[in-house]
Amino acid sequence: MEKMRAAILKSVEPFDSRIKVSEKLGFKVFKPCADLKNKLVAEWGRRANFCICAAPGTLNDAVDAAEFCGKILCFAGPGRNYENWNLSPIQGKELEIKGSFIIKDSMPRAVTMLEEGVLDLALIITHHITLSELDEGMRLMRTGEGMEIIINIGA
């Protein structure tokens, strides 16, 4: 499990509030930037073998940051202007890109990681709101102030 922990503790995050939480969880965090692939090479000696796109519009960044023959998993859509996408980098780097709404067969591994304390996920809960505060919760998510927001339905 320690090997798995070392493999996952790197991320790219634009919001300072989320960076602070990620760093508390032990992640090495990079901000999105034009020279991200150079920063990854300086840090690891190569680009990323695996990328997960969890926010809309990050596919371009993932393709750029991915190592040759790397794998990219997309939980979020490509964002705007995807119809003008240049597929040459995908083909030229022989990337494997997979879209997913929910990762098939991932639940047992996720439960194992939680049971073994790989991550303290309580740190990512940034807010508790009531159902009447849902608009504020959406604002917190859009601005990056919120990471995981618990909605208390009965409150």
Side-chain angles (χ1 to χ4, degrees):
M1 198 53 68
E2 194 57 37
K3 183 177 179 182
M4 184 185 300
R5 181 179 172 82
I8 63 172
L9 294 181
K10 291 133 181 111
S11 82
V12 177
E13 175 58 60
F15 297 111
D16 290 335
S17 58
R18 292 182 183 185
I19 288 172
K20 289 176 186 171
V21 173
S22 297
E23 289 174 341
K24 283 181 186 176
L25 288 168
F27 282 80
K28 167 69 177 176
V29 183
F30 299 93
K31 279 200 162 199
C33 61
D35 67 337
L36 178 60
K37 68 180 174 187
N38 295 329
K39 287 185 176 187
L40 295 177
V41 170
E43 178 80 17
W44 304 334
R46 60 177 165 68
R47 288 181 267 192
N49 290 328
F50 301 96
C51 297
I52 299 173
C53 298
T58 58
L59 185 55
N60 284 338
D61 296 326
V63 167
D64 194 39
E67 187 58 80
F68 288 85
C69 297
K71 293 174 175 44
I72 300 172
L73 178 61
C74 295
F75 284 107
R80 294 188 172 99
N81 300 321
Y82 66 90
E83 62 275 353
N84 297 323
W85 231 71
N86 177 5
L87 300 179
S88 296
I90 296 170
Q91 181 183 9
K93 291 170 77 175
E94 297 185 27
L95 298 176
E96 193 176 312
I97 299 177
K98 185 174 184 174
S100 180
F101 182 67
I102 299 173
I103 299 176
K104 183 182 176 193
D105 301 325
S106 66
M107 191 60 69
R109 284 182 284 173
V111 169
T112 299
M113 290 176 70
L114 291 171
E115 288 174 342
E116 294 186 8
V118 173
L119 297 173
D120 179 6
L121 296 181
L123 292 172
I124 67 173
I125 299 171
T126 57
H127 297 82
H128 289 265
I129 63 171
T130 63
L131 192 54
S132 65
E133 298 170 309
L134 189 56
D135 286 342
E136 174 63 6
M138 297 301 289
R139 185 196 68 75
L140 291 165
M141 291 301 290
R142 280 190 207 102
T143 62
E145 294 175 60
M147 196 167 219
E148 283 296 321
I149 298 174
I150 303 298
I151 302 169
N152 298 312
I153 303 289

